[in-house]
Amino acid sequence: MATLSDIGLAATINILSAFAFFLAFAILRIQPVNDRVYFPKWYIKGLRSSPLANGAFVSKFVNLDFRSYARFLNWMPAALQMPEPELIDHAGLDSAVYLRIYLLGLKIFVPIVFLAFTIMVPVNWTNNTLEHSGLTFSDIDKLSISNIPNGSERYWTHLVMAYAFTFWTCYMLKREYEIVAAMRLHFLASEQRRPDQFTVLVRNVPPDPDESVSELVEHFFLVNHSDHYLSHQVVYNANKLSGLVKEKKIINNWLDYYKNKYERNPSMRPLLKTGFLGLWGESVDAVDFYTAKVERLSRDISAEREKITNNPKSIMPAAFVSFKTRWGAAVCAQTQQCRNPTIWLTEWAPEPRDVYWENLAIPFVFLTIRRLIAAVAFFFLTFFFMFPIAIVQSLANIESIEKALPFLKPIIQAKFIKSFIQGFLPGIALKIFLIFLPTILMIMSKFEGFISLSDLERRSASRYYFFQFINVFLGSIITGTAFQQLNQFIHQSTNEIPKTIGASIPMKATFFITYIMVDGWAGVAAEILRLKPLIIYHLKNFFLVKTKKDREEAMDPGTIGFNTGEPQIQLYFLLGLVYAVVTPILLPFIIVFFGLAYVVYRHQIINVYNQEYESAAAFWPDVHLRIIVALIVSQLLLMGLLSTKEAASSTPLLITLPVLTIWFHRFCKKRYEPAFVRYPLQETMMKDTLERAREPYLSLKGFLQNAYMHPVFKSADDDDIDLAMRASWEEEPSLVATKRKSKRSTPFSSKHVGSSLFLPEANTEIKA
């Protein structure tokens, strides 16, 4: 087992690792050649120019101002200087509220640490129960609740602290929920005009034998929203066309690479082999080969585009419907449109950047089946991951390694090697097993059919959190306890086993301390170094960059990564709340993580990350719920632990805590969550009225015309899009008389086709 000195040495190793990352970052970030890697957000905003354009040849690549090297940590105070309102204007509300999760962790745990170390640690330390228990324990375990004898009156201290920690956590959660809800409403009221404020996504449009989807949508909304309906854009299944465009872009990159290579050495034409990965096969001229592939793809793209625009089956039973006012869009998005609740389903449209176009092509009726399949797959993924984690736990301690590989015992017993294994092996092994998990979960979310990037990330984050709760938290405790106390299990009666587990669970804090240091300290420090984007940028810059635009595309600012970052934060909330009463020594390590991560990610948000979308902090209810779950889990585990400690007089009083916590969550859900799922009509009317007063001649038609057109149809970079066709999409649509032959005729003559991309037949009047 790890001693205090082992943990201290492991902490020293992780601190030195983090410092090495920070030092490397401080040196690399001030080199002119790396400026686009560490400040891409300012380049995207057009507020920073490349230092490579001026100065002497050497100074273009290496910073010769040696005084700047002495100020290698000046980025930390600089990251904290930008006030929050300015940060919201600079990076968006999502980024600013994401940072508040780290601040919430500090607000919750700093007072808890003060109480725990002044009251609970002395209560736990002043016992010698573990020394006479026969269990395997360490110096750290003497600071835990396991060091208190069964039936002791000292458990009343832990009961009172559990109540104090719960009330404090709930108070901070309520206060933060109130602040974030107010920030969201203020942001929505003050932000600039966006297409999604006027647009609703309607899905599961019922088939009609007399009218096309475009005509049916138009007539439905002219009848039911006659005063506010403006236009619509039907949804096309352009997935194959999108794939061809992406493939052409990749081939173009290779063509640029070989053209650049030929320009550097005109005496020799570059060659490549046509076999697998270019390892074998016939040698051909690389420039001619990729030129031919680009021409072939251009023909395929043209043919596929023609097929989409002329085949009614390419139109999905869905459309983006735009309204003249925000009020009209809010009424439509938040009400039932038909007596049959399974058709004409409306919801707020994601902002155009947030739309995940591939999933709009999935028929609505298949979504339930897809989500059932994904749920079953996730269950088996979670279940089968328990086995490698159990193996990791069995090998990630000194005793098990010595038993499995006895010839390594002399090496392992060396103090530095032993501390290195104790401080790094468990955390690194777990990180390796989890490295591909976020990608797998994102693939599952895409398979389920969510139509926005924000929904994809939120679903992936939810499953990532659940996976970590089952496998990382519960799995590590159960399997680790079983392996560590195996000898005790074998030589005791069955009715004594629950007591052994109760005493052993707090001891697992040692493993989680090492995990926090590896993942939370060194991991966060490695994030700011951006080693992977740095290498990729310079490879692209050397082989592919030919123009200024190419250099801009070579930048990879990345995003916060809500689907991976938020679940990791929630794991630390869970560990902190669970071990606050059980083993308080873990809390300082969590506080260091929250403080360090807040500074690092604030710097990254200001200088690096470029968010793909803006959801106005719609994720906060998920953050609140997961902290509530962590709080309830901590209460239930403490209840179970005290029940094994023969604390019969104090344990029943803990039953009240989960009940109060659930009641508190229901209160917050009713009071604050509506601000995150609905848009108040009062707010929409106020914003519409102000806009009409300021811009009485505003034409929303032009503003919304192509906002929700599929990117492959409106990309200015795609030379395969015929300019004449693009111009025809932007014209005022022709009049369309209804083709309906049934008695359900529309009382209005059609005056808006509304779709910016419609079939040729929609341009001509058709006799009934």
Side-chain angles (χ1 to χ4, degrees), residues 416-450:
F416 177 80
I417 299 297
K418 181 179 179 181
S419 298
F420 182 83
I421 293 174
Q422 294 281 10
F424 266 77
L425 182 60
I428 289 178
L430 190 56
K431 287 283 289 182
I432 291 173
F433 274 106
L434 297 178
I435 195 169
F436 296 111
L437 181 63
T439 302
I440 296 172
L441 296 180
M442 182 57 74
I443 291 173
M444 285 185 176
S445 299
K446 291 178 179 178
F447 176 80
E448 289 184 86
F450 293 98

Short mmCIF file of all heavy atoms in Angstrom, two decimals, residues 416-450:
data_model
loop_
_atom_site.label_atom_id
_atom_site.label_comp_id
_atom_site.label_asym_id
_atom_site.label_seq_id
_atom_site.Cartn_x
_atom_site.Cartn_y
_atom_site.Cartn_z
N PHE A 416 12.41 4.97 -5.55
CA PHE A 416 11.92 5.82 -6.63
C PHE A 416 11.01 5.04 -7.57
O PHE A 416 9.93 5.52 -7.97
CB PHE A 416 13.09 6.41 -7.42
CG PHE A 416 12.67 7.24 -8.59
CD1 PHE A 416 12.24 8.55 -8.41
CD2 PHE A 416 12.68 6.71 -9.88
CE1 PHE A 416 11.84 9.32 -9.49
CE2 PHE A 416 12.27 7.47 -10.96
CZ PHE A 416 11.86 8.78 -10.76
N ILE A 417 11.43 3.80 -7.94
CA ILE A 417 10.62 2.98 -8.84
C ILE A 417 9.28 2.65 -8.20
O ILE A 417 8.22 2.73 -8.84
CB ILE A 417 11.36 1.67 -9.21
CG1 ILE A 417 12.69 2.00 -9.92
CG2 ILE A 417 10.48 0.79 -10.07
CD1 ILE A 417 12.51 2.71 -11.24
N LYS A 418 9.29 2.33 -6.93
CA LYS A 418 8.06 1.99 -6.23
C LYS A 418 7.10 3.18 -6.21
O LYS A 418 5.91 3.05 -6.48
CB LYS A 418 8.38 1.54 -4.81
CG LYS A 418 7.17 1.13 -3.98
CD LYS A 418 7.59 0.67 -2.60
CE LYS A 418 6.38 0.27 -1.77
NZ LYS A 418 6.78 -0.16 -0.40
N SER A 419 7.63 4.35 -5.91
CA SER A 419 6.78 5.54 -5.87
C SER A 419 6.28 5.90 -7.26
O SER A 419 5.14 6.35 -7.43
CB SER A 419 7.57 6.71 -5.28
OG SER A 419 7.95 6.43 -3.95
N PHE A 420 7.12 5.69 -8.27
CA PHE A 420 6.70 5.97 -9.64
C PHE A 420 5.53 5.07 -10.04
O PHE A 420 4.55 5.54 -10.64
CB PHE A 420 7.87 5.77 -10.59
CG PHE A 420 7.54 6.07 -12.03
CD1 PHE A 420 7.57 7.38 -12.49
CD2 PHE A 420 7.20 5.06 -12.91
CE1 PHE A 420 7.27 7.67 -13.81
CE2 PHE A 420 6.88 5.34 -14.22
CZ PHE A 420 6.92 6.65 -14.68
N ILE A 421 5.64 3.79 -9.69
CA ILE A 421 4.55 2.86 -10.01
C ILE A 421 3.28 3.23 -9.25
O ILE A 421 2.18 3.26 -9.80
CB ILE A 421 4.97 1.41 -9.70
CG1 ILE A 421 6.09 0.98 -10.66
CG2 ILE A 421 3.78 0.46 -9.81
CD1 ILE A 421 6.67 -0.38 -10.35
N GLN A 422 3.43 3.53 -7.97
CA GLN A 422 2.26 3.89 -7.16
C GLN A 422 1.61 5.17 -7.65
O GLN A 422 0.39 5.32 -7.60
CB GLN A 422 2.68 4.07 -5.69
CG GLN A 422 3.15 2.79 -5.02
CD GLN A 422 1.99 1.90 -4.58
OE1 GLN A 422 0.85 2.13 -4.93
NE2 GLN A 422 2.31 0.87 -3.81
N GLY A 423 2.42 6.09 -8.14
CA GLY A 423 1.88 7.39 -8.52
C GLY A 423 1.44 7.49 -9.96
O GLY A 423 0.64 8.36 -10.30
N PHE A 424 1.93 6.60 -10.84
CA PHE A 424 1.62 6.73 -12.26
C PHE A 424 0.89 5.54 -12.86
O PHE A 424 -0.02 5.72 -13.66
CB PHE A 424 2.93 6.93 -13.05
CG PHE A 424 3.27 8.36 -13.28
CD1 PHE A 424 3.81 9.12 -12.25
CD2 PHE A 424 3.05 8.96 -14.51
CE1 PHE A 424 4.12 10.45 -12.45
CE2 PHE A 424 3.36 10.29 -14.71
CZ PHE A 424 3.91 11.04 -13.68
N LEU A 425 1.27 4.32 -12.49
CA LEU A 425 0.75 3.14 -13.18
C LEU A 425 -0.77 3.03 -13.15
O LEU A 425 -1.39 2.83 -14.20
CB LEU A 425 1.40 1.88 -12.59
CG LEU A 425 0.98 0.57 -13.26
CD1 LEU A 425 1.35 0.59 -14.74
CD2 LEU A 425 1.63 -0.62 -12.56
N PRO A 426 -1.44 3.16 -11.99
CA PRO A 426 -2.90 3.01 -12.00
C PRO A 426 -3.58 4.06 -12.87
O PRO A 426 -4.47 3.72 -13.66
CB PRO A 426 -3.28 3.18 -10.52
CG PRO A 426 -2.04 2.90 -9.75
CD PRO A 426 -0.92 3.38 -10.63
N GLY A 427 -3.18 5.32 -12.72
CA GLY A 427 -3.83 6.38 -13.49
C GLY A 427 -3.58 6.26 -14.98
O GLY A 427 -4.49 6.42 -15.80
N ILE A 428 -2.32 5.97 -15.36
CA ILE A 428 -1.99 5.86 -16.78
C ILE A 428 -2.68 4.66 -17.41
O ILE A 428 -3.20 4.75 -18.53
CB ILE A 428 -0.46 5.77 -16.96
CG1 ILE A 428 0.18 7.12 -16.65
CG2 ILE A 428 -0.10 5.33 -18.37
CD1 ILE A 428 1.68 7.12 -16.76
N ALA A 429 -2.71 3.53 -16.70
CA ALA A 429 -3.37 2.34 -17.22
C ALA A 429 -4.85 2.61 -17.49
O ALA A 429 -5.39 2.22 -18.53
CB ALA A 429 -3.22 1.18 -16.24
N LEU A 430 -5.49 3.29 -16.57
CA LEU A 430 -6.90 3.61 -16.75
C LEU A 430 -7.10 4.59 -17.91
O LEU A 430 -8.03 4.44 -18.71
CB LEU A 430 -7.47 4.21 -15.46
CG LEU A 430 -8.99 4.39 -15.39
CD1 LEU A 430 -9.70 3.07 -15.65
CD2 LEU A 430 -9.38 4.95 -14.03
N LYS A 431 -6.21 5.59 -18.04
CA LYS A 431 -6.32 6.54 -19.15
C LYS A 431 -6.17 5.84 -20.50
O LYS A 431 -6.87 6.17 -21.46
CB LYS A 431 -5.24 7.61 -19.01
CG LYS A 431 -5.48 8.62 -17.91
CD LYS A 431 -6.53 9.63 -18.28
CE LYS A 431 -6.02 10.58 -19.33
NZ LYS A 431 -7.04 11.62 -19.66
N ILE A 432 -5.27 4.86 -20.57
CA ILE A 432 -5.05 4.15 -21.83
C ILE A 432 -6.30 3.39 -22.23
O ILE A 432 -6.71 3.38 -23.40
CB ILE A 432 -3.84 3.20 -21.71
CG1 ILE A 432 -2.56 4.03 -21.60
CG2 ILE A 432 -3.77 2.25 -22.90
CD1 ILE A 432 -1.32 3.20 -21.30
N PHE A 433 -6.96 2.74 -21.25
CA PHE A 433 -8.16 1.99 -21.57
C PHE A 433 -9.32 2.89 -22.00
O PHE A 433 -10.22 2.46 -22.71
CB PHE A 433 -8.60 1.14 -20.37
CG PHE A 433 -7.92 -0.20 -20.31
CD1 PHE A 433 -6.92 -0.44 -19.39
CD2 PHE A 433 -8.27 -1.21 -21.18
CE1 PHE A 433 -6.28 -1.67 -19.32
CE2 PHE A 433 -7.64 -2.45 -21.14
CZ PHE A 433 -6.65 -2.68 -20.20
N LEU A 434 -9.29 4.15 -21.56
CA LEU A 434 -10.40 5.07 -21.87
C LEU A 434 -10.12 5.95 -23.08
O LEU A 434 -10.95 6.78 -23.43
CB LEU A 434 -10.68 5.96 -20.65
CG LEU A 434 -11.14 5.26 -19.38
CD1 LEU A 434 -11.32 6.28 -18.26
CD2 LEU A 434 -12.43 4.50 -19.61
N ILE A 435 -8.98 5.76 -23.74
CA ILE A 435 -8.55 6.72 -24.76
C ILE A 435 -9.49 6.75 -25.96
O ILE A 435 -9.72 7.80 -26.57
CB ILE A 435 -7.09 6.42 -25.18
CG1 ILE A 435 -6.52 7.61 -25.96
CG2 ILE A 435 -7.00 5.15 -25.98
CD1 ILE A 435 -5.01 7.51 -26.17
N PHE A 436 -10.06 5.59 -26.33
CA PHE A 436 -10.94 5.54 -27.50
C PHE A 436 -12.41 5.64 -27.14
O PHE A 436 -13.27 5.66 -28.03
CB PHE A 436 -10.70 4.24 -28.29
CG PHE A 436 -9.32 4.13 -28.87
CD1 PHE A 436 -8.42 3.20 -28.38
CD2 PHE A 436 -8.92 4.97 -29.90
CE1 PHE A 436 -7.15 3.11 -28.91
CE2 PHE A 436 -7.65 4.88 -30.44
CZ PHE A 436 -6.75 3.95 -29.95
N LEU A 437 -12.71 5.69 -25.85
CA LEU A 437 -14.11 5.70 -25.43
C LEU A 437 -14.90 6.90 -25.96
O LEU A 437 -16.02 6.72 -26.46
CB LEU A 437 -14.19 5.63 -23.90
CG LEU A 437 -15.60 5.59 -23.32
CD1 LEU A 437 -16.34 4.34 -23.76
CD2 LEU A 437 -15.55 5.67 -21.80
N PRO A 438 -14.40 8.15 -25.86
CA PRO A 438 -15.20 9.28 -26.37
C PRO A 438 -15.57 9.14 -27.84
O PRO A 438 -16.68 9.49 -28.24
CB PRO A 438 -14.28 10.49 -26.13
CG PRO A 438 -13.38 10.08 -25.02
CD PRO A 438 -13.14 8.61 -25.23
N THR A 439 -14.65 8.63 -28.66
CA THR A 439 -14.95 8.45 -30.09
C THR A 439 -16.06 7.43 -30.28
O THR A 439 -16.98 7.62 -31.08
CB THR A 439 -13.69 8.00 -30.84
OG1 THR A 439 -12.66 8.97 -30.64
CG2 THR A 439 -13.97 7.85 -32.32
N ILE A 440 -16.00 6.33 -29.52
CA ILE A 440 -17.04 5.30 -29.62
C ILE A 440 -18.39 5.86 -29.21
O ILE A 440 -19.41 5.62 -29.87
CB ILE A 440 -16.66 4.08 -28.74
CG1 ILE A 440 -15.39 3.42 -29.26
CG2 ILE A 440 -17.80 3.07 -28.71
CD1 ILE A 440 -14.84 2.34 -28.35
N LEU A 441 -18.43 6.62 -28.12
CA LEU A 441 -19.70 7.17 -27.65
C LEU A 441 -20.25 8.22 -28.62
O LEU A 441 -21.48 8.32 -28.79
CB LEU A 441 -19.50 7.79 -26.26
CG LEU A 441 -19.12 6.80 -25.15
CD1 LEU A 441 -18.95 7.54 -23.83
CD2 LEU A 441 -20.19 5.71 -25.01
N MET A 442 -19.38 8.99 -29.26
CA MET A 442 -19.86 9.96 -30.24
C MET A 442 -20.44 9.26 -31.46
O MET A 442 -21.46 9.70 -32.02
CB MET A 442 -18.72 10.90 -30.65
CG MET A 442 -19.13 11.99 -31.64
SD MET A 442 -20.48 13.03 -31.07
CE MET A 442 -19.64 14.02 -29.84
N ILE A 443 -19.84 8.16 -31.87
CA ILE A 443 -20.39 7.38 -32.99
C ILE A 443 -21.78 6.86 -32.63
O ILE A 443 -22.71 6.89 -33.45
CB ILE A 443 -19.44 6.22 -33.35
CG1 ILE A 443 -18.15 6.77 -33.96
CG2 ILE A 443 -20.11 5.25 -34.32
CD1 ILE A 443 -17.08 5.72 -34.19
N MET A 444 -21.94 6.40 -31.39
CA MET A 444 -23.25 5.93 -30.94
C MET A 444 -24.28 7.06 -30.97
O MET A 444 -25.43 6.86 -31.39
CB MET A 444 -23.15 5.38 -29.51
CG MET A 444 -22.51 4.03 -29.40
SD MET A 444 -22.59 3.43 -27.70
CE MET A 444 -21.88 1.80 -27.90
N SER A 445 -23.87 8.25 -30.53
CA SER A 445 -24.80 9.39 -30.52
C SER A 445 -25.22 9.76 -31.93
O SER A 445 -26.39 10.08 -32.18
CB SER A 445 -24.14 10.58 -29.82
OG SER A 445 -23.83 10.28 -28.47
N LYS A 446 -24.28 9.72 -32.86
CA LYS A 446 -24.62 10.01 -34.25
C LYS A 446 -25.57 8.96 -34.81
O LYS A 446 -26.50 9.27 -35.58
CB LYS A 446 -23.35 10.09 -35.09
CG LYS A 446 -22.48 11.30 -34.78
CD LYS A 446 -21.20 11.31 -35.61
CE LYS A 446 -20.36 12.55 -35.28
NZ LYS A 446 -19.08 12.57 -36.04
N PHE A 447 -25.35 7.72 -34.44
CA PHE A 447 -26.23 6.64 -34.90
C PHE A 447 -27.65 6.84 -34.38
O PHE A 447 -28.63 6.50 -35.07
CB PHE A 447 -25.68 5.29 -34.42
CG PHE A 447 -26.57 4.12 -34.77
CD1 PHE A 447 -26.54 3.58 -36.04
CD2 PHE A 447 -27.42 3.56 -33.82
CE1 PHE A 447 -27.36 2.51 -36.37
CE2 PHE A 447 -28.24 2.49 -34.14
CZ PHE A 447 -28.21 1.96 -35.43
N GLU A 448 -27.80 7.43 -33.21
CA GLU A 448 -29.13 7.64 -32.63
C GLU A 448 -29.93 8.70 -33.38
O GLU A 448 -31.15 8.75 -33.24
CB GLU A 448 -29.01 8.05 -31.17
CG GLU A 448 -28.56 6.93 -30.26
CD GLU A 448 -28.55 7.35 -28.81
OE1 GLU A 448 -29.59 7.27 -28.15
OE2 GLU A 448 -27.48 7.79 -28.34
N GLY A 449 -29.27 9.55 -34.15
CA GLY A 449 -30.00 10.46 -35.01
C GLY A 449 -30.19 11.87 -34.50
O GLY A 449 -31.06 12.59 -35.00
N PHE A 450 -29.42 12.32 -33.52
CA PHE A 450 -29.55 13.70 -33.05
C PHE A 450 -29.13 14.66 -34.16
O PHE A 450 -28.16 14.42 -34.87
CB PHE A 450 -28.71 13.91 -31.80
CG PHE A 450 -29.21 13.15 -30.61
CD1 PHE A 450 -28.65 11.94 -30.25
CD2 PHE A 450 -30.27 13.63 -29.86
CE1 PHE A 450 -29.13 11.22 -29.16
CE2 PHE A 450 -30.75 12.93 -28.77
CZ PHE A 450 -30.19 11.73 -28.42
#
